[in-house]
Amino acid sequence: QKAMEEMGDIVWAIKPSIDEDKGLSYRIKNYGTALLSVKNILCRYDISAQLDRELFNAEARKNLLLIIKEAINNMAKYSRATQASITLTEQEENIMLTITDNGIGFNQQTVLMGNGIANMQNRSRNLDAVFQIISKPLEGTQIICIIPLTKFGE
């Protein structure tokens, strides 16, 4: 199942669908609903419909999607949140990704960062993005990724 999903992500990144119901927003919401609803995490999605029409570069699209999926996966596994939000908008010459939850958070000074966070950081570097995690015990977690829009050009 996972291999099929990953292959679907690669095919989507290479040849994005023109249909809105198969675009980036659909893929994010579908993945988020599948993982977060099982954990009783209510997630609000604010994803710019216009971005699907502007994100042309296949490798950049794949990296963006996989950053979001990794964050959702970590949230489902570790956060114990009840509410979350995923916002993806265009601001000036950047794409602004913000993923927030009201979960248990963690102490960034003492927690051992796993492969998930390292993968998000590496994918962000590949996008020349500013990547930041803000988390405190009992205060939830926020992931911010600011990606130059030029990374998604043709």
Side-chain angles (χ1 to χ4, degrees), residues 23 29 32 43 48-49 67 69 79 81 87 98 102 107 124 133 136 142 151-152:
K29 290 176 184 176
C43 189
S48 168
I67 289 168
K69 288 177 76 170
S79 76
T87 303
T98 307
N102 70 345
N107 184 331
S124 295
I133 297 178
K136 294 181 184 171
Q142 182 177 46
K151 292 302 285 187
F152 292 93

Side-chain angles (χ1 to χ4, degrees), residues 28-99:
I28 293 168
K29 290 176 184 176
N30 193 42
Y31 188 80
T33 299
L35 262 63
L36 300 178
S37 63
V38 172
K39 297 289 188 169
N40 295 317
I41 301 172
L42 178 64
C43 189
R44 181 181 54 80
Y45 300 90
D46 181 12
I47 300 169
S48 168
Q50 183 175 340
L51 283 179
D52 261 338
R53 294 184 291 274
E54 296 178 358
L55 305 180
F56 298 113
N57 182 287
E59 186 67 20
R61 287 172 61 88
K62 182 184 80 166
N63 280 325
L64 175 62
L65 178 63
L66 293 178
I67 289 168
I68 295 167
K69 288 177 76 170
E70 188 66 54
I72 291 170
N73 187 52
N74 285 350
M75 186 188 308
K77 284 170 85 173
Y78 305 115
S79 76
R80 296 191 215 158
T82 58
Q83 295 182 19
S85 69
I86 298 174
T87 303
L88 187 65
T89 58
E90 187 176 336
Q91 294 184 355
E92 297 174 16
E93 298 297 316
N94 296 304
I95 293 175
M96 173 71 87
L97 169 64
T98 307
I99 302 171

Side-chain angles (χ1 to χ4, degrees), residues 59-60 62-64 66-67 70 114-133 145 147 151:
E59 186 67 20
K62 182 184 80 166
N63 280 325
L64 175 62
L66 293 178
I67 289 168
E70 188 66 54
N115 287 334
I117 291 175
N119 288 339
M120 287 189 286
Q121 290 171 329
N122 288 335
R123 291 185 185 286
S124 295
R125 272 193 289 280
N126 290 340
L127 293 169
D128 295 332
V130 174
F131 181 83
Q132 183 178 18
I133 297 178
C145 190
I147 308 161
K151 292 302 285 187

Side-chain angles (χ1 to χ4, degrees), residues 9-19 22-24 27 52-53 55-58 61:
D9 290 344
I10 292 168
V11 169
W12 169 81
I14 293 170
K15 187 177 179 196
S17 174
I18 296 170
D19 301 332
K22 303 248 187 326
L24 179 64
R27 294 188 84 77
D52 261 338
R53 294 184 291 274
L55 305 180
F56 298 113
N57 182 287
R61 287 172 61 88

